[in-house]
């Protein structure tokens, strides 16, 4: 597809979430009978237009003022014998008599339609179409319950009624005429496709165009919520501005779909970003939910497009819709181009300034437990909490990083800071920022959730019950919601037990709130004196999963605990939760000493104890953003290095002369690539020096807290079958005896025996056992001591 081609509208049934337009009077929702109602109106008009001319005159006479001589104020002929309701099928055969008197003014039908006798059949059919539209709007006025919508229907009813009396075409009287905002939604979407995807191959670009058409089509047939409905859902929004756009949408887009006597416009052509912002969040949610519910009905060729690519497309578009500095909404985006490839590099504006990644160092009290804390995307509700503590509030380490950077000594081989700054300038230059492919599977798990929090779609509150403060109704409702979520998502856990812990004043819950209701949370209990927190329950409601909420929840919990100087999590995970906790940085290698947690946390049968150690230098809620930037830095540095060493050297000719082997370092260009000779470690030639070094290392190993399982040979009574599995046993007592006898004449012999201890342990014991964990920790400690002694390269 040519780059200059615009995105055109498709049929209303593109994709899984194709919604048919709802008829006016449906209350602002998608009515299932809407398409049928529209078809009935069209069929009724066709039937009336095919009627005999006298029948048409009778119909128009009902809406025509009396033209008889003398003052007559009758504004429509009324039959003295009105047809039954509903009309019978044989009523159409009744002969129309133009001398039939009017029930109101007694003048004949002919006096009411005398002005219509000489008009053309085409004009008469047009007026008949207006008549049926008037009747349809009259029904809508009486059925509609929403006051704002009813007022618009009534205004349009009077407009069409007046146009029949005056035999003119209905013209909407408004201060502004379409389009109401530039660029339009359609143009903004075109700009978005050019801005983000102009670099893609033609096949992938065609996929993007399909998605764009699908989205534009959905907007054109989307039913806006009424102003009253929106005020209930978003009470703090500009209600007057939305009402203006809602009225315009009804008059120019929605009602004309059924009343074709009114001029009709596509929503995407006359409205811009303002209207799109007001509907995008709800629209995206409903479209994806409908697609998931109807995934089994999708044709195979559409399934991947709808279920995989469409959500990612919407996430990227969402960022541009709500960004204050997105260039796609600039009128100058296409300036200077008349077709062909749009020069993207000339229209990309500077990216928005990202917020600081660290929290403020202001002290925050853990109590009271009932205080809610909200994300910075929304302002705290003063009625909810008098002194709120904000989840996601910026923190910073005890000493700023730039000071640490200045104090840190330079290491040989470090990259010069001027080069780092130059690369940083490159990756933040909007003209050279690499675009994230929509079809990429490597986007961060919490990216969508972080975006939703930034715009206030979701909130995070740490809440808890209290026995010494006045109950807060909203917090109690959230606690009940959390109890329901945990009960549904953790069916094997007794409901009474969940209720007891959720409402226990010693426990707190980080709750995830969306549209005012709880959709997930993490229940935990802090043990400040022991230096850890126990995670009790963790769940997200099933219809909100696979959106990154679980990862973002855990990241907020980590930030909260870093602020309160608790740097260890412990939890018992069942077989279904182990995968989730591993992704969040948990492992079976528990760093907290057993004496610290035994007797404090609850033990669950059949579950695995997992732990996570927090790093206070990491801003967890922005961690994926930082990693992404670091990858770009490394990538640019590699590219620069490759450009420097990209040189072709002549081949080696020495082998033709009979040389069988040469030193690696003699290969031309090998050192320029950064290659260094492999480190072999330092071999101590003095036996006494070797003995004293190995003795010191062995003594440190034996003194380690995790060395107790390896102090002596394994007893057969304690480990039946051990010597059938382990053919070459080893222990620290045996190593001490060998060291005394001067068996270790080289460092390799000593290291081989020590390594055998760890290997044997892991071979015989299961990974979740205490012995297995001790082997891992002691091995790490041992190699650290070996490096300190200079026996191997660091």
């Amino acid at each position: 597809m040519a780059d200059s081609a615009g995105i055109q509208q498709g049929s209303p049934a593109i994709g899984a979430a194709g919604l048919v337009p709802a008829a006016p009077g449906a209350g602002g929702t998608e009515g299932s009978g809407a398409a049928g109602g529209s078809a009935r109106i069209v069929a009724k008009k066709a039937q009336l237009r095919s009627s005999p001319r006298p029948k048409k005159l009778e119909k128009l006479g009902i809406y025509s003022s009396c033209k008889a001589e003398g003052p007559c104020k009758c504004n429509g002929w009324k039959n003295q014998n009105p047809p039954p309701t509903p009309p019978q099928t044989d009523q159409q055969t009744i002969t129309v008599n133009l001398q039939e008197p009017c029930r109101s003014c007694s003048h004949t039908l002919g006096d009411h339609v005398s002005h219509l006798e000489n008009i053309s059949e085409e004009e008469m059919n047009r007026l008949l179409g207006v008549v049926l539209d008037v009747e349809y709007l009259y029904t809508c006025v009486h059925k509609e319950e929403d006051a704002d919508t009813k007022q618009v229907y009534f205004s349009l009813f009077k407009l069409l009624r007046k146009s029949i009396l005056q035999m003119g075409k209905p013209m909407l009287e408004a201060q502004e005429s379409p389009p109401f905002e530039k660029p339009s939604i359609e143009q903004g979407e075109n700009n978005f496709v050019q801005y983000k995807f102009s670099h893609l191959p033609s096949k992938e670009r065609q996929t993007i165009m399909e998605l764009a058409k699908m989205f534009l089509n959905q907007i054109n047939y989307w039913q806006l919520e009424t102003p009253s409905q929106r005020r209930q859902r978003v009470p703090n929004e500009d209600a007057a501005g939305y009402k203006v756009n809602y009225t315009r949408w009804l008059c120019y887009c929605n009602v004309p779909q059924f009343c074709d006597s009114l001029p009709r416009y596509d929503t995407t052509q006359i409205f811009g970003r303002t209207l799109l912002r007001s509907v995008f969040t709800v629209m995206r949610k409903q479209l994806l939910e409908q697609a998931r519910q109807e995934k089994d009905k999708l044709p195979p060729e559409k399934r991947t497009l709808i279920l995989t690519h469409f959500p990612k497309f919407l996430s990227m578009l969402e960022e541009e819709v709500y960004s204050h500095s997105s260039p796609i909404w600039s009128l100058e985006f296409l300036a200077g181009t008349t077709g062909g490839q749009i020069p993207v590099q000339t229209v990309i504006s500077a990216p928005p300034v990202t917020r600081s990644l660290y929290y403020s160092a202001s002290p925050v009290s853990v109590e009271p437990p009932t205080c809610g804390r909200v994300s910075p995307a929304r302002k705290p509700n003063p009625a909810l909490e008098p002194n709120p503590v904000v989840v996601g509030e910026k923190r910073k380490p005890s000493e700023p990083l730039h000071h640490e950077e200045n104090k840190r000594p330079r290491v040989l081989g470090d990259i010069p800071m001027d080069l780092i700054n130059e690369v940083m300038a490159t990756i933040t230059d909007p003209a050279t920022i690499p675009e994230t492919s929509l079809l990429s599977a490597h986007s961060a798990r919490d990216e969508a959730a972080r975006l939703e929090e930034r715009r206030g779609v979701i909130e995070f509150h740490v809440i808890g019950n209290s026995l010494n403060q006045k109950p807060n109704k909203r917090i109690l409702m959230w606690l009940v919601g959390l109890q329901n979520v945990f009960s549904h998502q953790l069916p094997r856990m007794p409901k009474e037990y969940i209720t007891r812990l959720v409402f226990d004043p010693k426990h707190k819950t980080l709750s995830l709130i969306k549209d005012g209701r709880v959709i997930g949370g993490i229940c935990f209990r802090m043990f400040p004196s022991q230096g850890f927190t126990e995670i009790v329950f963790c769940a997200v409601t099933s219809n909100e999963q696979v959106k990154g909420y679980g990862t973002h929840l855990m990241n907020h919990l980590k930030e909260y605990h870093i602020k309160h100087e608790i740097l260890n999590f412990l939890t018992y995970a069942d077989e279904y939760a182990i995968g989730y906790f591993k992704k969040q940085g948990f492992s079976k290698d528990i760093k907290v000493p057993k004496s610290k947690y035994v007797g404090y946390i609850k033990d669950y049968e059949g579950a695995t104890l997992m732990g996570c150690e927090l790093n206070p230098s990491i801003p967890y809620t922005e961690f994926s953003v930082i990693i992404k930037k670091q990858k770009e830095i490394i990538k640019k540095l590699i590219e620069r290095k490759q450009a420097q060493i990209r040189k072709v050297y002549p081949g080696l000719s020495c082998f033709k002369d009979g040389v069988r082997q040469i030193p690696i370092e003699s290969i031309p260009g090998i050192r320029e690539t950064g290659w260094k000779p492999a480190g072999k470690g330092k071999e101590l030639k003095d036996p006494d020096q070797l003995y004293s070094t190995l003795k010191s290392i062995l003594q440190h190993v034996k003194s380690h807290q995790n060395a107790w399982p390896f102090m002596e040979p394994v007893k057969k009574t304690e480990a039946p079958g051990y010597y059938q599995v382990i053919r070459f046993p080893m222990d620290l007592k045996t190593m001490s005896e060998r060291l005394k006898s001067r068996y270790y004449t080289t460092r390799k012999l000593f290291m081989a025996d020590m390594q055998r201890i760890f290997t044997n342990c892991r071979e015989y014991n299961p990974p979740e056992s205490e012995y297995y964990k001790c082997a891992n920790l002691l091995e790490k400690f041992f190699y650290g001591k070996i490096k300190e002694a200079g026996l191997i390269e660091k």
Side-chain angles (χ1 to χ4, degrees):
M1 181 177 294
D3 288 330
S4 59
I7 303 170
Q8 304 300 321
Q9 316 306 320
S11 68
I14 290 181
L19 301 177
V20 289
T29 59
E30 296 90 41
S32 59
S38 177
R40 285 193 296 272
I41 297 171
V42 173
K44 202 171 181 180
K45 288 182 179 180
Q47 181 182 2
L48 184 58
R49 286 165 178 165
S50 63
S51 302
R53 190 175 179 88
K55 185 68 178 177
K56 295 180 181 180
L57 289 172
E58 181 187 36
K59 188 71 174 178
L60 289 171
I62 297 173
Y63 298 91
S64 301
S65 57
C66 183
K67 304 296 189 296
E69 294 181 1
C72 183
K73 298 181 180 180
C74 178
N75 61 357
W77 182 79
K78 299 173 183 63
N79 195 342
Q80 290 190 346
N81 300 303
T85 304
Q88 300 176 2
T89 55
D90 59 349
Q91 290 296 315
Q92 295 182 5
T93 61
I94 297 176
T95 304
V96 176
N97 184 6
L98 293 180
Q99 300 304 315
E100 186 79 23
C102 172
R103 189 172 73 247
S104 177
C105 67
S106 301
H107 293 122
T108 64
L109 172 62
D111 290 332
H112 286 76
V113 297
S114 58
H115 63 297
L116 300 174
E117 292 179 356
N118 297 323
I119 67 171
S120 64
E121 197 72 16
E122 181 182 356
E123 179 64 11
M124 184 172 289
N125 287 339
R126 184 189 70 81
L127 290 173
L128 287 171
V130 179
V131 165
L132 287 182
D133 288 345
V134 166
E135 293 178 349
Y136 183 69
L137 282 173
Y138 180 81
T139 304
C140 291
V141 168
H142 285 80
K143 286 185 177 182
E144 181 58 54
E145 297 179 357
D146 179 72
D148 296 317
T149 309
K150 178 179 285 195
Q151 184 179 1
V152 175
Y153 288 162
F154 186 64
S155 299
L156 294 176
F157 166 79
K158 291 194 296 182
L159 174 68
L160 294 182
R161 184 79 173 79
K162 182 180 179 181
S163 71
I164 298 174
L165 291 172
Q166 298 178 351
M167 294 180 61
K169 292 185 178 181
M171 297 294 293
L172 290 168
E173 297 179 1
Q175 293 181 348
E176 293 184 54
S177 57
F180 301 112
E181 188 176 3
K182 292 182 180 181
S184 65
I185 297 174
E186 182 178 307
Q187 185 59 58
E189 182 108 346
N190 270 290
N191 296 348
F192 169 69
V193 172
Q194 295 289 349
Y195 176 39
K196 290 287 187 180
F197 309 107
S198 58
H199 64 286
L200 292 180
S202 58
K203 187 175 181 180
E204 288 192 17
R205 184 174 168 81
Q206 185 64 37
T207 300
I208 300 300
M209 297 297 287
E210 285 279 323
L211 297 172
K213 290 177 185 177
M214 187 188 309
F215 180 72
L216 288 177
N217 181 72
Q218 295 303 332
I219 298 177
N220 285 331
Y221 289 96
W222 193 258
Q223 291 301 118
L224 300 188
E225 56 188 344
T226 64
S228 58
Q229 291 173 336
R230 187 164 184 86
R231 279 194 297 271
Q232 293 176 1
R233 191 175 64 83
V234 193
N236 298 326
E237 195 189 51
D238 177 20
Y242 180 80
K243 184 177 179 180
V244 169
N245 273 337
Y246 177 76
T247 302
R248 291 169 172 172
W249 170 78
L250 278 176
C251 294
Y252 290 97
C253 305
N254 181 253
V255 174
Q257 293 181 31
F258 307 90
C259 301
D260 58 8
S261 53
L262 291 168
R264 179 178 181 271
Y265 298 86
D266 285 334
T267 305
T268 56
Q269 292 180 345
I270 65 173
F271 291 99
R273 178 162 61 163
T274 303
L275 181 73
L276 185 58
R277 279 180 167 178
S278 64
V279 303
F280 190 95
T281 302
V282 174
M283 180 179 176
R284 177 179 181 270
K285 176 183 175 182
Q286 293 186 15
L287 285 177
L288 297 182
E289 183 64 30
Q290 184 174 351
R292 281 192 292 271
Q293 292 175 356
E294 300 180 2
K295 61 182 178 181
D296 296 332
K297 302 177 185 178
L298 291 174
E301 65 274 10
K302 291 283 186 182
R303 193 164 298 165
T304 303
L305 185 72
I306 299 296
L307 299 179
T308 304
H309 302 333
F310 197 41
K312 293 182 180 180
F313 176 86
L314 291 179
S315 295
M316 294 181 69
L317 178 59
E318 190 173 25
E319 191 166 352
E320 299 303 319
V321 169
Y322 292 99
S323 171
H324 295 293
S325 58
S326 173
I328 70 172
W329 304 105
S330 169
L331 291 174
E332 287 75 33
F333 187 86
L334 297 178
T337 61
T338 57
Q341 177 71 26
I342 294 180
V344 178
Q345 66 274 11
T346 65
V347 299
I348 299 178
S349 61
V353 178
T354 56
R355 67 183 181 88
S356 171
L357 302 180
Y358 298 100
Y359 281 18
S360 66
S362 56
V364 180
S365 172
V366 178
E367 300 296 333
T370 55
C371 70
R373 283 159 296 118
V374 299
S375 61
R378 293 215 177 174
K379 296 181 180 179
N381 186 346
L384 171 65
E385 42 194 322
N387 297 304
V389 182
V390 180
V391 168
E393 183 183 340
K394 298 176 184 179
R395 66 171 171 86
K396 56 185 178 182
S398 56
E399 187 174 1
L401 287 186
H402 61 272
H403 292 320
E404 294 179 1
E405 187 67 34
N406 293 336
K407 291 179 180 180
R408 185 172 66 88
R410 301 295 295 172
V411 179
L412 183 63
D414 268 1
I415 300 171
M417 285 307 299
D418 56 348
L419 178 57
I420 292 290
N421 293 333
E422 186 180 344
V423 171
M424 283 293 294
T426 303
I427 68 168
T428 54
D429 180 4
T432 58
I433 293 177
E435 302 297 341
T436 303
S437 174
L438 181 69
L439 311 181
S440 172
H442 302 292
S443 56
R445 284 190 297 271
D446 63 336
E447 187 173 347
R450 189 171 56 249
L451 191 64
E452 288 189 9
E453 183 192 7
R454 193 179 305 157
R455 288 195 314 278
V457 178
I458 58 175
E459 304 171 0
F460 295 89
H461 303 257
V462 171
I463 60 176
N465 196 13
S466 175
L467 300 180
N468 52 21
Q469 290 193 6
K470 185 178 179 180
N472 184 297
K473 182 178 178 181
R474 179 174 291 190
I475 289 178
L476 290 177
M477 289 177 62
W478 282 345
L479 289 172
V480 172
L482 285 163
Q483 184 259 347
N484 289 331
V485 170
F486 292 146
S487 299
H488 281 91
Q489 299 303 124
L490 307 170
R492 295 191 296 178
M493 196 70 67
K495 192 171 184 179
E496 296 78 9
Y497 177 69
I498 292 175
T499 305
R500 178 159 60 87
L501 294 190
V502 169
F503 285 89
D504 175 22
K506 295 179 182 178
H507 287 73
K508 299 184 182 192
T509 305
L510 173 61
S511 56
L512 172 58
I513 310 298
K514 187 174 185 179
D515 297 330
R517 63 185 181 88
V518 175
I519 64 169
I522 300 177
C523 183
F524 60 94
R525 180 175 178 181
M526 303 169 73
F527 295 95
S529 62
Q530 304 304 110
F532 75 92
T533 284
E534 178 193 11
I535 294 177
V536 186
F537 307 125
C538 177
V540 174
T541 188
S542 55
N543 62 335
E544 296 286 356
Q545 292 178 5
V546 202
K547 296 181 180 180
Y549 292 154
T551 297
H552 207 46
L553 259 173
M554 186 61 71
N555 287 338
H556 268 299
L557 189 67
K558 292 175 180 177
E559 295 272 348
Y560 173 77
H561 279 79
I562 289 173
K563 286 173 63 178
H564 292 88
E565 299 181 351
I566 297 179
L567 302 181
N568 283 283
F569 287 160
L570 292 178
T571 187
Y572 273 97
D574 61 21
E575 64 269 28
Y576 303 107
I578 289 177
Y580 164 77
F581 282 110
K582 281 186 176 179
K583 291 176 182 177
Q584 309 311 318
F586 286 70
S587 73
K588 300 173 186 178
D589 182 11
I590 308 300
K591 300 296 178 65
V592 181
K594 198 170 184 179
S595 59
K596 289 282 188 181
Y597 63 82
V598 170
Y600 284 88
I601 67 173
K602 295 165 280 293
D603 195 355
Y604 296 91
E605 185 179 351
T608 303
L609 181 63
M610 302 185 74
C612 178
E613 186 176 20
L614 306 183
N615 187 331
S617 299
I618 296 177
Y620 285 95
T621 53
E622 298 289 340
F623 189 54
S624 59
V625 177
I626 297 172
I627 293 298
K628 184 178 179 181
K629 184 168 288 188
Q630 287 177 345
K631 285 182 178 178
E632 291 301 322
I633 293 173
I634 299 299
K635 183 179 176 182
K636 291 292 182 182
L637 289 173
I638 292 174
E639 290 175 356
R640 285 170 176 261
K641 189 67 175 178
Q642 288 176 337
Q644 293 172 4
I645 65 173
R646 193 169 289 128
K647 180 180 178 181
V648 179
Y649 289 86
L652 295 171
S653 59
C654 58
F655 299 107
K656 295 180 180 179
D657 302 329
V659 176
R660 300 295 298 266
Q661 184 177 355
I662 62 172
I664 297 178
E665 56 268 23
S666 66
I667 299 175
I670 190 70
R671 291 188 180 275
E672 285 81 350
T673 65
W675 176 88
K676 295 179 181 178
K680 299 179 180 179
K682 180 182 177 184
E683 191 67 74
L684 299 178
K685 297 181 180 181
D686 184 353
D688 292 333
Q689 186 182 359
L690 177 63
Y691 172 81
S692 60
T693 302
L694 298 183
K695 182 180 179 180
S696 175
I697 293 173
L698 185 59
Q699 192 58 45
H700 278 99
V701 170
K702 291 169 70 175
S703 302
H704 193 270
Q705 62 180 359
N706 292 297
W708 59 269
F710 316 110
M711 297 300 290
E712 295 184 349
V714 177
K715 298 177 182 178
K716 292 183 180 180
T717 55
E718 295 178 353
Y722 180 83
Y723 291 97
Q724 280 74 37
V725 177
I726 304 301
R727 295 179 58 195
F728 304 102
M730 184 52 61
D731 59 274
L732 296 176
K733 183 180 179 182
T734 303
M735 287 191 66
S736 296
E737 293 171 353
R738 288 189 170 188
L739 182 63
K740 287 180 182 178
S741 65
R742 304 285 177 144
Y743 168 80
Y744 298 119
T745 57
T746 66
R747 62 182 173 87
K748 291 184 179 179
L749 286 173
F750 180 79
M751 293 172 61
D753 275 356
M754 187 67 76
Q755 185 61 52
R756 187 170 298 282
I757 293 177
F758 308 136
T759 304
N760 289 348
C761 178
R762 286 191 287 259
E763 185 176 350
Y764 182 78
N765 297 289
E768 63 272 12
S769 68
E770 192 75 18
Y771 302 108
Y772 197 102
K773 297 171 185 175
C774 286
N776 287 342
L777 293 173
L778 191 60
E779 181 183 33
K780 185 177 180 181
F781 175 78
F782 167 70
Y783 278 101
K785 289 296 179 183
I786 287 288
K787 289 178 182 177
E788 286 179 13
L791 298 182
I792 60 173
E793 274 200 350
K794 294 184 180 181

